[in-house]
Amino acid sequence: MASVDALEKQTINTIARAIGAGLYEQARVHADDDFLPIISAHKSDFVRCWAAEVAGNGAGDKAKRMLAAMKPFAKDGHFNVRECAWTVARKCIAKNLPESVAILSAWAKDMDENVRRFASEATRPRGVWREHIKELKENPELALPILEPLKSDGAKYVRDSLGSWLNDASKSRPDFVVNSCERIQRESDTKETCYIVKKALRTIAKRAT
């Protein structure tokens, strides 16, 4: 595709985004309602990443629609597809933060650890190779409805994400992170919480040495 060849920097994410946009446009022009369900169930994780991009293009900038479209991909069995899902949704989440937090606070209590992890990872203040969410860098308290249910999560996949979320926040709001870690350890004195706290405080600890 010409759009892929024209990319200044070709990565898995940028290629998937370009292909997804092109496929969405073709499906729209041809009124092909069967296309997305077919590629969403494809055996290739790369194709399912394209499907997430197609779904994201179709959802537009409405948080409820975007998150509903991404949830099947958030549950996907392959890491690449799950990563694609939150990166597709992140811009919309940042644009519609209060509504997104309200929806994702319920996801943080989901039985599926992949869904819980999405709620944390998609809202990280700094994220990985993504634009920062300025509101959460300055006011991480806004995300407490998502963070609270995860403070002693049984899944390491989720704990790693929450620890990284708090570590992100510590770079701009160390006071929030220190106070939060002290509080959750009082409220939930478990090995799971201790693991999260250690990851959360790693930047603060490094600065103290």
Side-chain angles (χ1 to χ4, degrees):
M1 293 176 67
S3 57
V4 174
D5 293 335
L7 289 171
E8 183 176 338
K9 185 176 183 181
Q10 293 189 354
T11 66
I12 290 175
N13 288 329
T14 59
I15 291 171
R17 193 173 304 120
I19 292 175
L23 291 174
Y24 169 75
E25 185 59 23
Q26 287 299 308
R28 187 188 65 80
V29 168
H30 295 285
D32 189 346
D33 295 332
D34 296 326
F35 180 69
L36 180 56
I38 290 171
I39 64 171
S40 296
H42 200 280
K43 65 180 180 180
S44 168
D45 60 287
F46 287 109
V47 176
R48 298 198 304 280
C49 284
W50 303 345
E53 294 285 352
V54 171
N57 275 275
D61 60 359
K62 302 298 183 183
K64 187 175 181 179
R65 288 181 60 189
M66 175 63 77
L67 292 172
M70 287 304 107
K71 196 165 190 178
F73 301 104
K75 295 180 176 182
D76 196 273
H78 199 285
F79 175 80
N80 285 346
V81 182
R82 298 194 299 271
E83 289 296 282
C84 190
W86 74 257
T87 57
V88 168
R90 185 170 170 87
K91 186 175 181 179
C92 182
I93 289 170
K95 185 177 180 180
N96 304 278
L97 193 59
E99 182 184 3
S100 297
V101 168
I103 295 168
L104 293 173
S105 65
W107 288 31
K109 302 169 188 173
D110 198 277
M111 292 294 292
D112 189 327
E113 67 182 65
N114 292 331
V115 174
R116 300 197 304 275
R117 193 263 187 175
F118 179 104
S120 171
E121 198 68 17
T123 57
R124 281 178 56 180
R126 293 172 183 264
V128 181
W129 305 310
R130 284 290 173 268
E131 291 182 2
H132 297 176
I133 300 179
K134 185 174 183 290
E135 283 186 80
L136 293 180
K137 287 170 62 177
E138 296 175 354
N139 300 291
E141 297 91 346
L142 296 173
L144 281 173
I146 295 171
L147 308 181
E148 281 293 316
L150 306 177
K151 64 188 177 186
S152 187
D153 201 278
K156 183 177 182 294
Y157 190 45
V158 179
R159 295 196 300 273
D160 282 340
S161 179
L162 180 56
S164 294
W165 200 112
L166 291 167
N167 185 61
D168 280 357
S170 76
K171 296 170 185 177
S172 50
R173 284 289 307 281
D175 59 315
F176 167 80
V177 175
V178 169
N179 292 337
S180 294
C181 287
E182 290 176 350
R183 176 179 57 78
I184 64 173
Q185 282 199 300
R186 290 196 304 269
E187 296 172 352
S188 176
D189 187 19
T190 67
K191 63 180 182 181
E192 290 82 8
T193 299
C194 288
Y195 179 91
I196 291 167
V197 167
K198 184 176 181 179
K199 289 186 71 69
L201 296 176
R202 62 186 185 270
T203 294
I204 292 173
K206 186 176 180 180
R207 287 175 175 172
T209 58

